[in-house]
Amino acid sequence: MWLNTARRLRQALRRYRTDKSLETVLHADWRRAPDLQRFFDDIEKRLHGEEITRLQQKQAEYLALQNQINPHFLYNALEAIRSDALLANCTEIAETTEALATFFRYTISNVQEYVTFSDELDNAENYFTIQRCRFGDKLSMELEMENEALLEARMPKLILQPLVENAVSHGLEGKIEQGTVRIIVENSAQTLFLRVRDDGIGMPEDQVNRLNAQFASGDTAAASTQQRGGIALRNVNSRIRLMFGENYGLHIFSAAGVGTECCVTLPLLLQEG
């Protein structure tokens, strides 16, 4: 039996060398050699898993880039608006326009690069400047960070601003009185904790549990994107898990009528020297 199995294996490998089709080997009938059958089944499962990971990564990159527009046209148009606003002594319009141009320049450029937390904070502040055009003094943003060295912590781009946007759009926009977004930055020996907390309308427990289950599974396609914590948060979570593993990612805490906190865990990456 083993002679026949060895002969069939050599034949399959010769065919593979000829046509480079791994299917030739993996899908052959190896039932008379259970050890080989289990070995090739395991290889096929591993290859399938790697392909799924590649597809998830491509999807995450697509979601981060899908709203790209012609940057030069955008920058030129915004600069023209800012110049006209300054000539008309409309300083608030000029400031908002400048924030919008800077925000888009940061967002549209290479999303795969690593940046510092300081860069991410600047981008979130530009976003907040833009939102004040709509909400005025109704919104405020605060930062809590005891360790200023964390300003230089390295992280993937576009992590913080989607969390701030989620807090504004889903937490504070529906609140009648003034609301606050608080960014809290902490660390342990090897982990960076980035929390975005709002005192908005909050979420019911079942919705929180559903979102956290999606984050824990790395599911980027689950449920409706219209619910609170839609595709932007799932994209942030998916990117982190793909880059650093399942021990990192996003978790939500919330109570209806009290507010919501999105907590991101990342490896602590500080530049040496």
Side-chain angles (χ1 to χ4, degrees):
M1 182 182 70
W2 284 108
L3 288 176
N4 290 334
T5 299
R7 185 172 62 254
R8 294 183 60 246
L9 181 59
R10 285 196 298 271
Q11 291 172 347
L13 292 175
R14 279 198 297 270
R15 288 197 299 272
Y16 171 73
R17 285 195 293 269
T18 301
D19 57 24
K20 301 302 180 184
S21 173
L22 195 58
E23 306 276 327
T24 302
V25 180
L26 296 180
H27 292 169
D29 185 0
W30 303 107
R31 284 175 296 181
R32 293 187 178 182
D35 289 341
L36 274 178
Q37 183 72 63
R38 286 191 293 269
F39 174 69
F40 288 132
D41 287 346
D42 184 60
I43 288 178
E44 186 169 16
K45 288 178 182 177
R46 288 173 181 268
L47 291 173
H48 181 62
E50 290 174 1
E51 180 62 23
I52 289 176
T53 298
R54 283 195 294 270
L55 290 173
Q56 287 178 332
Q57 190 166 11
K58 287 182 180 297
Q59 181 188 29
E61 292 169 359
Y62 168 73
L63 291 170
L65 293 168
Q66 64 180 349
N67 291 322
Q68 276 196 357
I69 59 177
N70 187 317
H72 297 296
F73 169 79
L74 176 68
Y75 303 150
N76 291 339
L78 291 173
E79 179 57 28
I81 295 171
R82 190 181 78 87
S83 298
D84 288 344
L86 288 173
L87 289 172
N89 201 30
C90 298
T91 55
E92 289 187 3
I93 294 176
E95 178 185 349
T96 303
T97 305
E98 183 177 16
L100 184 59
T102 305
F103 173 80
F104 273 113
R105 183 175 288 109
Y106 183 88
T107 303
I108 290 173
S109 62
N110 184 10
V111 299
Q112 296 183 0
E113 67 178 310
Y114 277 67
V115 296
T116 64
F117 172 69
S118 178
D119 295 327
E120 285 288 278
L121 185 60
D122 287 344
N123 188 53
E125 288 176 341
N126 283 322
Y127 167 80
F128 221 76
T129 298
I130 297 162
Q131 287 291 43
R132 286 198 187 96
C133 272
R134 294 179 58 202
F135 300 104
D137 294 334
K138 182 182 176 181
L139 296 183
S140 61
M141 187 169 72
E142 300 176 357
L143 174 66
E144 293 183 15
M145 182 176 61
E146 293 185 1
N147 183 2
E148 292 190 2
L150 296 180
L151 285 169
E152 298 304 314
R154 308 287 293 179
M155 63 182 61
K157 197 173 186 179
L158 297 177
I159 297 295
L160 178 60
Q161 182 271 329
L163 273 62
V164 173
E165 181 174 356
N166 184 75
V168 171
S169 299
H170 298 288
L172 300 180
E173 190 169 334
K175 186 178 179 180
I176 297 176
E177 61 270 24
Q178 185 175 8
T180 301
V181 175
R182 183 169 286 104
I183 300 170
I184 305 162
V185 190
E186 300 170 321
N187 70 288
S188 65
Q190 296 182 327
T191 305
L192 176 69
F193 301 97
L194 180 60
R195 309 177 195 275
V196 176
R197 181 183 300 165
D198 67 69
D199 55 1
I201 60 176
M203 290 184 288
E205 183 178 0
D206 61 336
Q207 190 172 4
V208 175
N209 292 338
R210 184 167 60 250
L211 284 169
N212 283 330
Q214 293 172 15
F215 296 148
S217 68
D219 187 357
T220 59
S224 168
T225 60
Q226 301 302 314
Q227 66 178 358
R228 167 156 192 180
I231 198 65
L233 293 188
R234 291 201 297 275
N235 184 26
V236 168
N237 181 70
S238 176
R239 289 171 58 214
I240 292 172
R241 286 167 60 91
L242 285 168
M243 296 176 77
F244 302 118
E246 297 180 358
N247 292 331
Y248 301 97
L250 180 61
H251 193 87
I252 285 183
F253 306 90
S254 187
V258 177
T260 298
E261 178 179 288
C262 295
C263 179
V264 171
T265 54
L266 293 161
L268 181 60
L269 306 174
L270 291 173
Q271 289 180 311
E272 296 182 358

